[in-house]
Amino acid sequence: MRARSLPLVSAALLMLAAAPPPAPATPAAPSFADLATLADSAPIAVRVRVRDQAVVPGERAPGLAAGHARLYVEAETLALFTGSGGVPQQLRYLADMPLDAKGRAPKLKKREFVLFARAVPGRPGELQLAGPRAQIPYTPALETSLRPLLAALAAPDAPPRVTGVRDAASSAGALAGESETQIFLATDTGAPAALTVIRRPGLPPRWGVSWSELIDQAAEPPAKDTLAWYRLACTLPPTLPAETVETSEEADRTRAAEDYAVVIAALGPCERGTG
């Protein structure tokens, strides 16, 4: 977008400036957890090609981080991955981008991105990015990772968001070294979710997750970099809250905490992109 066209978008800039400013972009590739967080929070995921851009004057860019430029971007829609209401062919949005080594804004024209965004009410074709990494350079590999994630989120039996541990109970079995621990999770919808850890003499502990009212001893752990894994690895507290254990027996409380630690170690860290 040439400088002489800036007055034509001044009204849109003033409207968008009233919304929370987009956070600065970072260069590192997003992790699965990054993608899941964005996809889970943004009603729109769309692939675009940038047609033009203009640097927003500093006085119209509140909250802009040092070393960044706020860009008003015009783009064309190439593919809509998710968005129940659809999106127009021509889109407009703001993006904060780091300046290059010469202190200039990057050139986005003709580049393709995947945007995670929400529509601006009353402003057809205008989007607000959903987070600091919500404009991601498009690659076929990104699309390959994104499509099954979006399908999992849209599935009727999608795992609910886990908000914490509700309560836990552990009981010893008839044989030495035999036990079962059940850890019930709180979810944002109230839908059931539970972890089960089974110990048998001479065998390593076995655990699984159930997303239904039935607590299945044959439940399996979720595969890494799936929606079910993300719901647990990126939400559960690092240790079992002591107040959630429903027993006063010290041996049962200790075993419940140890079994919870088995789950956390098996899930591994919720890795985020850095940059």
Side-chain angles (χ1 to χ4, degrees):
M1 186 180 297
R2 293 169 294 277
R4 63 175 179 274
S5 63
L6 274 171
L8 299 179
V9 301
S10 59
L13 289 172
L14 289 171
M15 182 280 303
L16 285 170
T26 53
S31 68
F32 179 87
D34 292 327
L35 288 180
T37 299
L38 288 167
D40 198 26
S41 63
I44 295 170
V46 60
R47 176 183 170 190
V48 303
R49 179 185 294 118
V50 174
R51 294 176 55 247
D52 219 337
Q53 69 182 65
V55 177
V56 179
E59 64 270 17
R60 292 182 179 175
L64 181 65
H68 289 71
R70 182 160 298 165
L71 303 182
Y72 180 90
V73 181
E74 292 184 346
E76 59 180 323
T77 300
L78 298 180
L80 180 64
F81 297 126
T82 185
S84 59
V87 295
Q89 184 63 31
Q90 306 301 323
L91 299 172
R92 301 172 300 283
Y93 61 95
L94 294 176
D96 286 6
M97 301 292 293
L99 301 175
D100 64 18
K102 296 183 178 180
R104 297 177 299 195
K107 303 293 186 182
L108 305 186
K109 189 173 181 179
K110 297 184 179 180
R111 292 180 60 187
E112 295 184 16
F113 296 91
V114 172
L115 308 180
F116 296 88
R118 55 185 59 87
V120 177
R123 309 290 299 194
E126 293 184 3
L127 301 179
Q128 182 182 1
L129 297 185
R133 302 172 63 80
Q135 177 183 256
I136 301 175
Y138 172 81
T139 65
L142 173 63
E143 182 171 351
T144 298
S145 298
L146 183 58
R147 285 194 177 276
L149 171 59
L150 293 173
L153 282 165
D157 59 349
R161 297 183 184 96
V162 173
T163 58
V165 177
R166 198 177 76 221
D167 50 68
S170 184
S171 58
L175 301 176
E178 184 178 62
S179 65
E180 178 177 342
T181 297
Q182 293 180 347
I183 302 165
F184 298 91
L185 307 179
T187 64
D188 67 333
T189 63
L195 306 169
T196 303
V197 183
I198 304 294
R199 292 181 183 265
R200 294 290 182 260
L203 297 174
R206 177 172 56 84
W207 76 278
V209 58
S210 300
W211 303 99
S212 69
E213 295 285 356
L214 298 176
I215 306 301
D216 186 1
Q217 289 193 355
E220 296 290 333
K224 184 174 169 49
D225 290 352
T226 61
L227 179 59
W229 171 86
Y230 167 75
R231 293 294 195 220
L232 301 176
C234 298
T235 305
L236 291 175
T239 58
L240 182 66
E243 66 274 12
T244 64
V245 184
E246 296 181 331
T247 180
S248 59
E249 295 293 331
E250 189 60 33
D252 292 343
R253 297 178 68 86
T254 298
R255 186 171 53 252
E258 291 174 348
D259 285 349
Y260 184 83
V262 167
V263 173
I264 296 300
L267 288 170
C270 175
E271 296 174 339
R272 301 286 186 177
T274 57

